[in-house]
Amino acid sequence: MTNPSKPWDGELVRKWLARRFEVSRLDQAAADRRGYEARDDYDKAAAEEWACRALKDADCTNDQAAFATRLKELIGQDDYPATSTYDDVRFERHVRTHLRKIAKMAKANEGFEKTLRHQ
């Protein structure tokens, strides 16, 4: 699971999650200003915010195996409670998509160093 040449860095993971959390809030505001045609973009950004909020302050970020276990638990949830989304089904699909993306990054231990706004 771990790449021997690159040790797990919990601080880097938390930093990446915090930055993605902030970016998702900015993306929600931008989609909200664009109006009706940007509802999917709003739900996508809200889903990323939900996923990052659920993980960014968790203690499991210090250990790669514990982080992967937490991601599996979140992906297996039946619903993801959130307010002010346009389409709950679409929102939940986007949450699972973001969680799977983070799970792939955690498994490969790659991508957390990319902190630019657009990924």
Side-chain angles (χ1 to χ4, degrees), residues 9-110:
D9 186 359
E11 182 62 34
L12 182 64
V13 172
R14 285 188 296 279
K15 182 179 175 182
W16 184 88
L17 288 166
R19 288 197 177 173
R20 292 308 306 162
F21 176 79
E22 293 302 322
V23 166
S24 66
R25 294 180 60 93
L26 293 172
D27 289 345
Q28 284 180 68
D32 198 33
R33 284 191 299 273
R34 288 196 325 261
Y36 183 80
E37 74 278 351
R39 290 181 305 165
D40 186 51
D41 292 339
Y42 183 89
D43 285 347
K44 197 177 291 185
E48 185 174 13
E49 177 191 1
W50 192 96
C52 290
R53 176 180 285 141
L55 294 167
K56 72 181 179 116
D57 294 324
D59 292 333
C60 64
T61 56
N62 292 324
D63 179 45
Q64 187 175 12
F67 190 62
T69 302
R70 179 66 181 140
L71 284 164
K72 286 180 185 177
E73 291 171 0
L74 289 173
I75 291 169
Q77 276 186 220
D78 289 334
D79 62 339
Y80 304 95
T83 57
S84 54
T85 57
Y86 289 100
D87 185 346
D88 290 338
V89 173
R90 180 175 50 205
F91 170 76
E92 289 179 6
R93 185 178 64 238
H94 289 314
V95 169
R96 285 188 184 93
T97 300
H98 282 293
L99 290 171
R100 285 186 193 110
K101 172 188 170 188
I102 296 169
K104 285 180 184 177
M105 291 170 59
K107 184 176 181 181
N109 195 15
E110 293 178 351

